[in-house]
């Protein structure tokens, strides 16, 4: 129930989904919340990782939508067999969700969801996630990487060493 409420809150705070369904979003939120849970710090739900999924499936991972949906269907298929009364992942209690994810953690589906969750939390907000720079704050970064890290290359070697550069 908490995950569903978090999904509704996240949905209210951002634009509607364009490339995933609300049902898919609810499940992505539930899975991502177990990968990077909310504790005394914000997690994947607060960072809006689900919006990274939505944007990525309309852009850089557009060709992966159908394979991802097939793997997602396979992921969900065993839930009713293993957990009577549950139909989908978000129906499970948190401990059951953790147990189920441990069963599938070596699958391409889980590895993909894990990657996208982390990218959605720690990536640049313009790609759909990392709401309010939550991921960067969790990592102890003061802001976007370009705001504090100098570019790397021979063209800026004097600057990197702290030498005066004549313009």
């Amino acid at each position: 129930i908490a995950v569903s409420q978090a999904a509704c809150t996240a949905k209210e705070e951002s634009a509607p989904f364009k490339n995933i369904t609300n049902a898919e979003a609810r499940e992505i939120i539930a899975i991502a919340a177990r990968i990077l849970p909310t504790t005394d710090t914000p997690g994947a739900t607060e960072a809006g990782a689900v919006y990274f999924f939505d944007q990525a499936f309309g852009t850089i991972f557009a060709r992966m939508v159908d394979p991802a949906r097939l793997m997602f269907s396979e992921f969900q298929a065993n839930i009713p067999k293993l957990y009577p009364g549950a139909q989908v992942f978000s129906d499970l209690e948190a401990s059951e969700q953790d147990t189920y994810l441990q069963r599938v953690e070596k699958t391409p589906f889980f590895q993909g969801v894990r990657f996208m969750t982390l990218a959605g939390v720690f990536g640049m907000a313009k790609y759909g996630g990392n709401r309010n720079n939550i991921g960067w704050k969790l990592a102890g970064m003061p802001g976007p990487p370009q705001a504090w890290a100098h570019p790397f290359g021979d063209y800026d070697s004097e600057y990197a060493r702290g030498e005066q550069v004549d313009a």
Side-chain angles (χ1 to χ4, degrees):
I1 294 175
V3 169
S4 295
Q5 189 169 7
C8 291
T9 301
K11 181 83 167 124
E12 291 167 5
E13 293 176 357
S14 296
F17 299 111
K18 296 177 182 175
N19 302 296
I20 59 176
T21 67
N22 288 340
E24 290 167 338
R26 182 178 55 249
E27 298 307 303
I28 290 167
I29 290 168
I31 297 166
R34 300 315 304 156
I35 293 170
L36 189 60
T38 302
T39 58
D40 57 336
T41 60
T45 302
E46 293 79 12
V50 67
Y51 293 98
F52 173 80
F53 281 77
D54 185 48
Q55 190 166 329
F57 281 131
T59 56
I60 60 173
F61 293 132
R63 65 182 176 76
M64 295 300 298
V65 171
D66 290 336
R69 284 190 168 126
L70 178 62
M71 288 188 283
F72 178 62
S73 178
E74 293 168 356
F75 169 82
Q76 297 278 45
N78 287 323
I79 291 172
K81 298 172 197 169
L82 295 170
Y83 302 95
Q87 294 301 308
V88 293
F89 184 79
S90 63
D91 290 341
L92 302 176
E93 297 294 326
S95 63
E96 294 171 326
Q97 290 177 344
D98 290 344
T99 299
Y100 191 70
L101 290 178
Q102 287 172 347
R103 290 177 60 104
V104 301
E105 70 182 337
K106 302 278 189 222
T107 65
F109 172 78
F110 179 79
Q111 293 298 311
V113 172
R114 181 178 182 276
F115 168 80
M116 289 185 67
T117 297
L118 296 176
V121 172
F122 296 107
M124 295 186 70
K126 71 180 185 177
Y127 298 117
N130 196 5
R131 181 184 293 131
N132 299 321
N133 296 330
I134 285 173
W136 292 340
K137 290 172 187 170
L138 287 172
M141 296 168 54
Q146 66 274 21
W148 54 266
H150 69 296
F152 297 98
D154 186 58
Y155 59 88
D156 69 338
S157 59
E158 289 111 3
Y159 173 78
R161 288 191 302 265
E163 297 173 10
Q164 181 66 32
V165 179
D166 295 327

